[in-house]
Amino acid sequence: ALFLAFFVLDLLIRLGNPDLWHPARGGERPMDFSYFNAVIKSSVFPPYDPWFAGGYINYYYYGFVLVAMPVKLLGIVPSLAYNFILPTLYAMVALGAFCIAWNLLDAGKGSREGTQRDAWAPFRDSRFVAGLLAAGLMVALGNLGTVRMLYRGLQQMGAPGGIIDPANILQRLIWVVQGLGRGIQGQLLPYGRGDWYWIPSRVIPPGPGNEITEFPLFTFLYSDLHAHMLAIPLALLALAWAVGVLRSGRASWLTLLVGAVVIGALYPTNLSDIFTYLPIGCAALAYALWRAPVAARGRLEMPTWVRKVALIVGAAAALTALAYVLYEPYRQAYSQGYRAVEAWIGPPTPFWSYLTHWGLFLFILAFWLSWETRQWLAYTPAASLRKLRPYQVLIEAAIAAFLVALLYLAYRGVQIGWLALPLAAWAAVLSLRPGIPDAKRFVLFLMGTALLISIGVELLVVRGDIGRMNTVFKFYLQGWILLSVSAAAAFAWLLPDVWLWWSGWRNLFLAGTGLLLAGAAFFTVSASVDKISDRMAQGVPLTLDSMDFMRYARYADYDVQMDLSADYRAIRWMQDSVQGSPVIVEANCPEYHWCTRFTIYTGLPGVVGWNWHQRQQRTTMPQLVEQRVSEIAAFYNASDINASVEFLRRYNVNYIVVGQMERAAYPGPGLEKFNAYNGRLWDAVYQSGDTSIYQVRP
């Protein structure tokens, strides 16, 4: 039922806006769809690169393999399948979060506080509370960026001096919600269509970092079938595996194999994820094995701790080795272009931007840490503190290291470190509490990991990144996943005990959580409505066909107004008529424009696709990409037929596209050669209006 509910929710959004392209915020759906088609059509792996004829995809393509398998088996048309894949992944993410939080609560029922009183009685379904909240935090709610938008917008449109008129706020908010779908919000607040889902994903001020503060709901609304989206279900499966290891307290070879298959799949799906989830998996494995009893074998007696350390090292090494070996064929063919990190010397994340993105999670978790600390102190006799004396040196060293780290963050200007590092240290200290349930200790570990990740991107950046764009958005997504399940479990653990609190603290917690959830939910409503209305062609009938928008859309580029229905008919003809994977040539222009559209929607290999993205994926030979871009322009512009024939032979081109885009991008006498040599060097196999497709003769 949960899966179906989330599936239908996203399916309705897709039904409202199924388009694979948008002229202003087109995203990388064109590249994703091109690669998805190529994976379906490839007869060998690695799959051929549709944006670099003669080459193979040097990118994280394994996610496309996973989603292409059911499409291939069921025989669904790819342009329709795209809008079924997105709701399926969306529902899988919700269900994965629900599963993890449910099992964390189930594993934590034996806590000491829970056995002293029947506080669970009014909340027998606390596991449902945790699961549903985890699903909601994970993929149904946004950050607080919409709240900040409203605040700033009301300031700008308020009284002189930026003073907000409280009497005007409610009415204006009502107008905004009513106006979102009609695209008139710019008259009510200084925002236009598309801003409501876009701006909250950029809560860090614009600058050299080009930061993207993406979160799963934005990922699915924006609908790029990109590596980071495809990896989220796998990441949750890896966390579920870790919870399973904790609950079982042991690890057989089958357990290690399953973990390696899941965690190892992150490398070819979204490389950066394995650097987080493999250590988490190893940590869960180490903890479970350390807690498990170890039977003596043979006459050679070793201390228990030695045997446990040996077992842990062996199991972690086996998990790591299997995770890499199982996907070695991918690794052998993949050339990693970004191999190093360097210090980030640009501006740090402002404190209020950090709270805008993480505020809801941190609010819940801070209350949970406070209550767990209070319970620890309440149930710990003063005499027990004497047991810490043998560890005095270690404690003092840890405090010194903490203070040094704080000073270093201050020296680097990392404002958020003053919040994130103390919270991470607090979680670490609480995890040492004797008798704490394994589930709570695991949540504290996940929380600390997420906070350290958020500090890490303030200090380090992947060398070659666009500022720190990819570093921030990929690792922020990991932090969101970890904090979603952590905050959900923490809330469910807190809920039975909230009624024991002093009324002031209880009201602060419940009211604060409610307001923050409402603020996060405002993104859900405003961004979903805005995404549905943000289309390049209005009046398109409801459909799940991601190509159908072309039949109604017009697009201006190179000072020419184009009717995309002409390209729609030609692309459909090519999909139906061209067999195999012959090379085609078409116009090439800057990223996110309408060029390369035949390669995108057919998956057939073109001479070259988006310039920058190909150079990112071919860092060892970027000059070859630039060369192909120049040669395409020279081919269409050339009047010298010999040079044109040489180009066709060099890249083994079978089909030439001459449509509206080619005529707009390469006007001049060079286009006359296609009619002049029709029937001699090539044959017109498709012709409609200004669009012609020529098949090159052998």
Side-chain angles (χ1 to χ4, degrees):
L2 181 74
F3 182 93
L4 184 61
F6 276 87
F7 180 88
V8 170
L9 175 63
D10 195 57
L11 188 70
L12 291 174
I13 295 174
R14 301 275 67 81
L15 192 66
N17 187 350
D19 305 349
L20 264 172
W21 189 69
H22 188 281
R25 295 191 172 101
E28 297 184 345
R29 290 187 295 284
M31 182 181 77
D32 298 329
F33 193 60
S34 186
Y35 284 5
F36 171 66
N37 277 304
V39 165
I40 289 178
K41 294 172 70 68
S42 286
S43 56
V44 295
F45 280 79
Y48 69 80
D49 192 338
W51 280 4
F52 197 85
Y56 59 84
I57 296 178
N58 189 51
Y59 183 65
Y60 324 125
Y61 66 78
Y62 190 63
F64 296 120
V65 176
L66 295 177
V67 297
M69 288 170 62
V71 174
K72 188 90 169 176
L73 289 170
L74 296 171
I76 305 174
V77 176
S79 61
L80 283 169
Y82 190 94
N83 285 314
F84 283 107
I85 291 170
L86 292 170
T88 302
L89 293 175
Y90 184 78
M92 288 174 67
V93 170
L95 200 61
F98 180 92
C99 166
I100 294 167
W102 167 283
N103 283 282
L104 285 171
L105 263 291
D106 189 40
K109 288 200 306 183
S111 65
R112 181 163 57 177
E113 307 95 273
T115 57
Q116 290 191 349
R117 57 185 176 275
D118 191 18
W120 293 96
F123 302 98
R124 293 296 186 185
D125 293 331
S126 287
R127 292 176 297 173
F128 279 106
V129 173
L132 291 175
L133 184 58
L137 292 174
M138 182 70 67
V139 79
L141 298 173
N143 61 16
L144 302 176
T146 308
V147 176
R148 191 170 74 168
M149 283 178 65
L150 291 170
Y151 176 76
R152 290 182 172 179
L154 291 169
Q155 275 190 318
Q156 294 179 37
M157 301 190 72
I163 304 301
I164 300 176
D165 178 10
N168 193 30
I169 292 178
L170 182 59
Q171 184 61 52
R172 193 176 292 277
L173 290 179
I174 294 173
W175 288 344
V176 167
V177 174
Q178 292 175 341
L180 277 171
R182 303 194 297 272
I184 62 171
Q185 61 269 31
Q187 303 170 20
L188 311 172
L189 286 175
Y191 304 115
R193 177 171 286 160
D195 288 342
W196 293 94
Y197 66 83
W198 181 264
I199 293 178
S201 70
R202 271 74 178 166
V203 298
I204 298 176
N210 298 296
E211 293 91 352
I212 299 174
T213 52
E214 190 161 328
F215 45 92
L217 180 54
F218 172 84
T219 301
F220 281 96
L221 279 179
Y222 200 51
S223 68
D224 284 2
L225 191 63
H226 221 41
H228 59 278
M229 175 194 285
L230 294 164
I232 296 176
L234 290 173
L236 289 168
L237 187 55
L239 287 179
W241 176 85
V243 173
V245 169
L246 286 175
R247 294 193 61 179
S248 66
R250 58 187 177 84
S252 65
W253 278 105
L254 180 59
T255 303
L256 290 176
L257 181 62
V258 171
V261 169
V262 174
I263 297 173
L266 290 168
Y267 185 98
T269 303
N270 191 38
L271 174 61
S272 60
D273 282 354
I274 201 168
F275 298 120
T276 295
Y277 296 104
L278 180 58
I280 288 175
C282 288
L285 194 62
Y287 180 79
L289 293 177
W290 181 262
R291 301 267 291 179
V294 178
R297 294 185 179 182
R299 295 184 177 180
L300 181 60
E301 289 290 339
M302 291 187 297
T304 301
W305 71 268
V306 174
R307 284 179 289 165
K308 285 190 174 184
V309 168
L311 184 60
I312 288 169
V313 171
L319 177 67
T320 303
L322 283 170
Y324 279 84
V325 169
L326 288 172
Y327 296 90
E328 187 62 20
Y330 171 87
R331 292 168 53 82
Q332 289 291 332
Y334 175 60
S335 176
Q336 186 175 343
Y338 302 93
R339 298 174 175 270
V341 296
E342 59 189 9
W344 171 245
I345 58 175
T349 301
F351 191 79
W352 288 108
S353 294
Y354 191 78
L355 288 182
T356 300
H357 195 70
W358 301 113
L360 171 57
F361 300 123
L362 298 183
F363 183 84
I364 295 173
L365 289 168
F367 268 90
W368 179 58
L369 293 178
S370 301
W371 180 248
E372 287 293 319
T373 303
R374 183 264 179 197
Q375 294 294 85
W376 187 4
L377 296 176
Y379 289 101
T380 303
S384 299
L385 296 177
R386 300 193 192 98
K387 298 179 181 179
L388 298 177
R389 287 180 179 175
Y391 306 100
Q392 182 175 346
V393 174
L394 290 176
I395 294 171
E396 291 173 350
I399 294 173
F402 171 74
L403 294 175
V404 169
L406 271 183
L407 290 174
Y408 177 72
L409 292 177
Y411 168 75
R412 290 288 301 271
V414 180
Q415 304 172 19
I416 62 99
W418 291 88
L419 174 64
L421 188 60
L423 285 175
W426 193 358
V429 171
L430 276 176
S431 68
L432 301 176
R433 176 186 177 185
I436 189 174
D438 292 342
K440 288 187 176 181
R441 190 167 277 136
F442 185 62
V443 166
L444 290 167
F445 174 69
L446 295 184
M447 174 188 172
T449 301
L451 291 168
L452 291 178
I453 286 173
S454 71
I455 296 173
V457 298
E458 300 295 312
L459 303 174
L460 299 172
V461 63
V462 176
R463 183 178 299 167
D465 199 352
I466 307 169
R468 56 171 181 159
M469 174 194 294
N470 292 290
T471 305
V472 168
F473 101 74
K474 289 200 173 188
F475 284 98
Y476 261 39
L477 268 176
Q478 295 174 16
W480 190 281
I481 291 170
L482 300 180
L483 290 179
S484 294
V485 295
S486 299
F491 182 85
W493 279 320
L494 273 178
L495 203 54
D497 292 336
V498 161
W499 314 108
L500 304 176
W501 296 3
W502 176 58
S503 60
W505 288 111
R506 180 175 65 247
N507 294 337
L508 175 62
F509 173 70
L510 294 177
T513 302
L515 288 173
L516 291 172
L517 286 171
F522 198 87
F523 173 85
T524 308
V525 177
S526 62
S528 299
V529 174
D530 195 30
K531 177 64 178 178
I532 291 172
S533 64
D534 190 25
R535 306 185 66 178
M536 63 180 299
Q538 301 300 317
V540 181
L542 294 178
T543 178
L544 288 173
D545 190 341
S546 57
M547 288 179 56
D548 209 44
F549 73 95
M550 296 185 214
R551 297 166 53 200
Y552 306 88
R554 301 186 70 84
Y555 171 66
D557 204 355
Y558 297 100
D559 297 322
V560 175
Q561 188 77 14
M562 305 177 205
D563 180 1
L564 299 191
S565 65
D567 283 335
Y568 174 84
R569 293 188 294 271
I571 290 169
R572 284 299 191 197
W573 175 88
M574 189 170 279
Q575 289 174 336
D576 294 337
S577 306
V578 176
Q579 301 296 314
S581 52
V583 178
I584 64 176
V585 62
E586 57 185 319
N588 186 280
C589 51
E591 282 80 358
Y592 310 110
H593 287 245
W594 184 240
C595 295
T596 324
R597 71 276 192 207
F598 282 81
T599 299
I600 291 166
Y601 291 100
T602 66
L604 296 174
V607 175
V608 72
W610 287 355
N611 186 340
W612 167 244
H613 288 75
Q614 276 297 306
R615 283 187 284 129
Q616 276 187 310
Q617 295 165 28
R618 303 182 185 280
T619 54
T620 59
M621 46 180 174
Q623 69 281 359
L624 296 183
V625 178
E626 296 280 11
Q627 177 184 326
R628 292 191 180 204
V629 172
S630 301
E631 288 181 341
I632 288 176
F635 167 71
Y636 279 102
N637 287 323
S639 298
D640 182 356
I641 194 62
N642 293 325
S644 300
V645 170
E646 173 59 28
F647 169 85
L648 297 174
R649 289 176 178 171
R650 183 182 308 121
Y651 296 111
N652 194 29
V653 175
N654 296 98
Y655 290 91
I656 305 167
V657 176
V658 182
Q660 300 169 95
M661 181 58 74
E662 286 70 29
R663 299 181 192 280
Y666 312 111
L671 297 180
E672 297 175 2
K673 62 179 175 287
F674 296 110
N675 279 330
Y677 288 91
N678 184 28
R680 298 162 60 187
L681 297 177
W682 42 69
D683 299 302
V685 291
Y686 175 88
Q687 197 148 15
S688 177
D690 290 334
T691 303
S692 301
I693 300 176
Y694 300 92
Q695 184 174 14
V696 179
R697 291 190 170 189

